Amino acid sequence: PAADAPATAARGRLMCQASPGTKRRAGVLCFRDAADSVEFLLVTRRSKTCSAQLSETCVDDKYTIPAGKFEDDSDISCEDCALREALEEAGIECSIVKDIGWHKSVSKHNQPIQTRYFLSRCIRMLDSWLEEGMRERMWLSPTEALQKVGYREDLLAVVHNGINALRERVPLSPHSFPAATFEEAPALRPNDREEEEWQVSSDNGATDVSSSDIGEERFIFYSHQVGGHFCMVKPAPGTRLEVELPVSSQRRLSQSRPASAENCIVHGAKVILKPFNVDEERFYCQLSDGPLSALSPFTPLFYGTKQLRRDQIESLAGAGPDKFNSRTPGQSMDQAPDRDMGAQCGALHIRRYLVLEDLASNALKPCFLDLKVGCKQRAARHSAQKRAHMAAKAQQSTSATLGFRICGMQCHNSETGTAQRYDKYWGQRVTVETMRATLAMFFSLGPDLIEQVIEKLQRLEATVRQLVGLRFWGSSLLVFFDAARANSPNRAEFLASLRLKIIDFANFQNVGGSEPDEEYLVGIANIRIYLQELLAGDVGLDPPLESRLLAPPSPEAQDAEQEQAWQDLQRLKGSTLRTSEGTDGTFDEGGGTHFAANAQTISGATGRTLLRELASNHLVRVQESEAEGSAASNLDSLFS
């Protein structure tokens, strides 16, 4: 029953090839650290799920290991299939650390099955997931896990092999495992290797590999982008991407891997690339511990950074600007591309990117709503003149009155069956009076969807309120769901596709003090109030909506914080220039490198390219048009 086919520790893509006529599957034996021990994750079989009150009387074959069928149209490796099944069946995001081989079983129709299992470390447990209503999950000690799966020899062998792998490879307490001995599983025989090689994975679910193990990396523009100042990039279908790990991950792995191994591989379908900003990268690196860790459930996964070669940039540029012509807001996506993309693609020389989770990676009809939260755009780098300009600009949208505005939207039109996109210029025309109708366009697929979003907003609001001294200047809320699942017989499958994430942290600031970000909290609260009004329908709530909306807080406090942040930044810039400048008035080698690296960063607030690198120490400023599209003053025609 144990691994009868040779397991491989070879890096890179591992094809899920079982014996002819055999059903192929892949699964994850997920573990986490516990006090002086580890725990393994098991889930209930869908046919055996029972309530907590009846759990003591459930039959002994209730629990199993997350695993499922290899999907030829979406899974390109066993690892992909295993990680997808862990997410769907158990709501677990995990990192593979060991291939523990093929294991045989038979279906209820006596069809032979071969399942490839991977020992994996838990990264994050989701509060809601695809099969939440059909399965229960439970963390168990090694002894308890062996007892729970003892009814099947193949599952027993998987847990046993996982225990052996942890004994051999991971420095854990000798009391972590049961004292009883078991029959040893066949030795793992790697392909094309003289000896087995231990695969160490980063905390973000990407497997450590060398660049020689991957094929040519190709990139396209991200087709579902609804907001932002610059084009996001997507690895082309079938691409596996080599990514530079975050510094924090490199430090954690330094004890178990060679110092030179600083890259990992991710499945291109799972990620998007966003133009690099050093402050945003710093924010994501701080999410793993400290007070910001409470925000982890509300942020996209961060994989690391990616430097594109010049030929890749040129190939991307050749496919880009011509396709991003003007589109009438609300026009079907297959009729014309987004009119704002042409301006966004003006910075095609950008070479370095943040590699982030693509929320729409498995969606057939992805719907996005981008909400810029805050009473006005703020950033530490804004001068007094810029601050006055941003305050005046906020008065032209709902930011100044509601604490949020619509940056972009891609929604499903149930009548035509198409996705329709609305850009930021359209969003600037939405008023306090038309906001309810605008949100109703996006949240048109049932009241239970709105209820789920309200619940997530309440949790986010409570989390932000605890983060005193932190300012989420310039950040947005991104709401996503897959409209293709709305008509599924299992409504829970559709609701499990819902995601609510905070994005855009280039201007995040720690100002200190004992107060939370009140401007941000007002925006979240007013979004929630509008959604509660939608739930009430035509009857409405008492008191009326206008009287329930929260008024923005006085701007004086955050104005003073912004002024102090600007002064601190000017002092830091002066210190950096004095340190970098040589005695002859030229930049020394370190200073030149510093500014050359910064030439690849962007201004997230204005969306303009600041610098272009022409040579290692020679920079020029790019002149761009200040003109922006004008917008009409009312939305009557949009809702007629």
Side-chain angles (χ1 to χ4, degrees):
D4 62 320
T8 178
R11 296 171 171 181
R13 179 172 174 174
L14 178 61
M15 294 302 296
C16 213
Q17 297 175 340
S19 302
T22 300
K23 184 178 179 180
R24 299 173 298 164
R25 300 171 79 248
V28 162
L29 178 62
C30 189
F31 71 95
R32 70 179 182 184
D33 297 327
D36 296 324
S37 183
V38 296
E39 293 178 329
F40 291 113
L41 178 73
L42 299 181
V43 296
T44 54
R45 298 163 58 194
R46 278 184 290 190
S47 59
K48 299 294 181 179
T49 302
C50 57
S51 65
Q53 291 83 358
L54 300 177
S55 60
E56 297 298 326
T57 61
C58 287
V59 293
D60 292 337
D61 61 344
K62 173 184 176 182
Y63 290 96
T64 187
I65 299 171
K69 179 183 176 182
F70 184 88
E71 301 290 349
D72 289 309
D73 58 345
S74 61
D75 298 325
I76 65 172
S77 69
C78 282
E79 297 99 322
D80 297 330
C81 177
L83 294 174
R84 175 179 56 78
E85 291 294 335
L87 193 62
E88 293 178 357
E89 293 188 4
I92 293 293
E93 295 171 345
C94 50
S95 171
I96 293 176
V97 298
K98 182 69 174 179
D99 173 10
I100 50 180
W102 291 102
H103 292 71
K104 281 184 178 179
S105 61
V106 294
S107 70
K108 59 183 178 182
H109 302 297
N110 290 323
Q111 179 186 6
I113 299 173
Q114 286 186 332
T115 306
R116 191 154 203 143
Y117 285 97
F118 298 88
L119 181 66
S120 303
R121 183 184 295 274
C122 176
I123 296 175
R124 185 194 300 184
M125 293 182 63
L126 305 183
D127 293 330
S128 61
W129 65 97
L130 185 61
E131 298 186 16
E132 179 183 9
M134 297 177 280
R135 298 184 189 270
E136 301 168 9
R137 58 189 180 189
M138 179 175 290
W139 289 100
L140 300 165
S141 69
T143 301
E144 294 170 327
L146 288 167
Q147 293 172 347
K148 292 293 185 182
V149 300
Y151 66 94
R152 271 178 52 179
E153 288 185 337
D154 61 315
L155 298 182
L156 190 65
V158 173
V159 177
H160 179 205
N161 290 345
I163 291 174
N164 286 340
L166 287 171
R167 273 199 186 113
E168 296 169 5
R169 300 293 187 176
V170 181
L172 297 170
S173 165
H175 305 294
S176 299
F177 305 106
T181 59
F182 301 90
E183 178 184 354
E184 291 296 322
L188 301 181
R189 300 186 299 277
N191 294 339
D192 303 322
R193 305 278 182 178
E194 292 183 0
E195 61 182 11
E196 182 184 350
E197 186 171 330
W198 179 241
Q199 291 190 13
V200 180
S201 298
S202 70
D203 289 346
N204 51 34
T207 306
D208 171 39
V209 297
S210 65
S211 58
S212 61
D213 295 314
I214 62 174
E216 176 63 22
E217 297 175 346
R218 297 176 295 111
F219 300 91
I220 58 178
F221 290 109
Y222 187 53
S223 60
H224 302 305
Q225 183 174 351
V226 295
H229 298 285
F230 285 85
C231 281
M232 291 190 291
V233 175
K234 177 78 177 174
T239 299
R240 295 180 71 83
L241 193 66
E242 184 176 9
V243 174
E244 181 182 346
L245 291 172
V247 174
S248 56
S249 294
Q250 293 175 20
R251 289 173 179 169
R252 285 194 295 270
L253 297 175
S254 61
Q255 301 301 317
S256 55
R257 61 187 278 170
S260 60
E262 298 178 347
N263 291 353
C264 64
I265 286 297
V266 297
H267 187 341
K270 307 294 184 184
V271 299
I272 56 175
L273 277 63
K274 178 182 180 180
F276 178 84
N277 179 281
V278 65
D279 295 315
E280 188 159 25
E281 182 196 31
R282 184 182 300 114
F283 175 89
Y284 279 112
C285 289
Q286 293 173 347
L287 280 174
S288 58
D289 50 30
L292 285 178
S293 61
L295 280 176
S296 293
F298 302 103
T299 57
L301 287 176
F302 173 54
Y303 290 83
T305 59
K306 178 65 180 177
Q307 185 94 354
L308 269 61
R309 303 190 310 270
R310 292 190 181 276
D311 62 299
Q312 292 170 329
I313 295 293
E314 292 170 359
S315 175
L316 190 64
D322 291 343
K323 67 178 284 188
F324 295 117
N325 299 319
S326 177
R327 177 201 292 153
T328 302
Q331 194 171 1
S332 174
M333 288 175 57
D334 55 5
Q335 293 174 315
D338 188 9
R339 73 173 183 153
D340 193 38
M341 284 296 183
Q344 293 179 9
C345 293
L348 288 170
H349 67 279
I350 292 175
R351 298 181 60 198
R352 195 176 181 194
Y353 291 82
L354 301 173
V355 183
L356 300 170
E357 172 188 12
D358 181 5
L359 301 181
S361 60
N362 295 317
L364 297 177
K365 296 180 179 179
C367 295
F368 284 100
L369 176 63
D370 188 336
L371 300 169
K372 184 67 68 177
V373 183
C375 298
K376 70 174 182 178
Q377 285 282 79
R378 296 182 183 272
R381 68 177 178 279
H382 287 176
S383 64
Q385 182 180 4
K386 181 69 173 181
R387 277 173 256 159
H389 172 72
M390 299 310 294
K393 189 174 181 179
Q395 295 292 334
Q396 300 172 10
S397 70
T398 57
S399 293
T401 50
L402 296 177
F404 75 94
R405 61 181 170 87
I406 292 181
C407 279
M409 183 169 72
Q410 178 173 298
C411 59
H412 177 67
N413 188 320
S414 57
E415 295 182 359
T416 63
T418 61
Q420 295 184 295
R421 181 178 294 165
Y422 301 85
D423 62 19
K424 66 179 182 181
Y425 301 109
W426 181 89
Q428 289 170 1
R429 296 155 53 194
V430 178
T431 65
V432 174
E433 293 74 26
T434 58
M435 182 62 75
R436 184 181 185 277
T438 303
L439 295 175
M441 293 169 59
F442 185 78
F443 295 104
S444 63
L445 297 178
D448 51 352
L449 174 65
I450 301 175
E451 290 172 351
Q452 290 284 320
V453 176
I454 291 174
E455 188 271 334
K456 291 179 182 292
L457 285 171
Q458 289 172 332
R459 286 172 40 219
L460 174 60
E461 190 175 352
T463 301
V464 172
R465 194 168 293 280
Q466 298 299 317
L467 300 175
V468 296
L470 304 183
R471 300 294 176 259
F472 298 91
W473 293 340
S475 68
S476 296
L477 276 183
L478 191 65
V479 183
F480 163 81
F481 57 83
D482 185 2
R485 303 187 186 189
N487 296 324
S488 171
N490 181 10
R491 187 68 176 176
E493 180 181 347
F494 166 60
L495 296 177
S497 73
L498 173 66
R499 298 286 187 274
L500 186 145
K501 302 290 184 180
I502 314 178
I503 58 173
D504 300 336
F505 301 106
N507 299 318
F508 171 82
Q509 194 76 22
N510 186 346
V511 301
S514 59
E515 297 298 326
D517 193 335
E518 293 293 349
E519 292 187 358
Y520 200 84
L521 288 169
V522 163
I524 296 175
N526 282 335
I527 296 169
R528 172 175 49 79
I529 291 170
Y530 268 106
L531 294 183
Q532 290 169 338
E533 185 74 9
L534 283 182
L535 276 181
D538 296 335
V539 176
L541 297 174
D542 189 33
L545 172 66
E546 292 75 13
S547 61
R548 287 185 288 111
L549 290 171
L550 301 186
S554 175
E556 281 78 8
Q558 290 210 20
D559 285 349
E561 292 170 346
Q562 190 175 1
E563 170 64 22
Q564 184 61 53
W566 182 80
Q567 293 179 7
D568 293 342
L569 183 60
Q570 302 315 302
R571 284 193 292 270
L572 180 61
K573 285 182 177 180
S575 174
T576 302
L577 287 172
R578 287 190 297 272
T579 302
S580 301
E581 195 170 334
T583 57
D584 59 353
T586 60
F587 290 115
D588 62 19
E589 182 177 356
T593 302
H594 170 77
F595 280 92
N598 281 347
Q600 305 303 331
T601 66
I602 63 170
S603 170
T606 64
R608 299 184 183 90
T609 304
L610 296 179
L611 299 171
R612 174 173 291 171
E613 181 182 1
L614 296 181
S616 60
N617 289 323
H618 297 81
L619 308 173
V620 298
R621 189 175 302 276
V622 177
Q623 301 294 333
E624 294 187 356
S625 172
E626 297 286 332
E628 293 185 352
S630 59
S633 58
N634 65 73
L635 287 173
D636 294 341
S637 61
L638 296 177
F639 301 107
S640 58

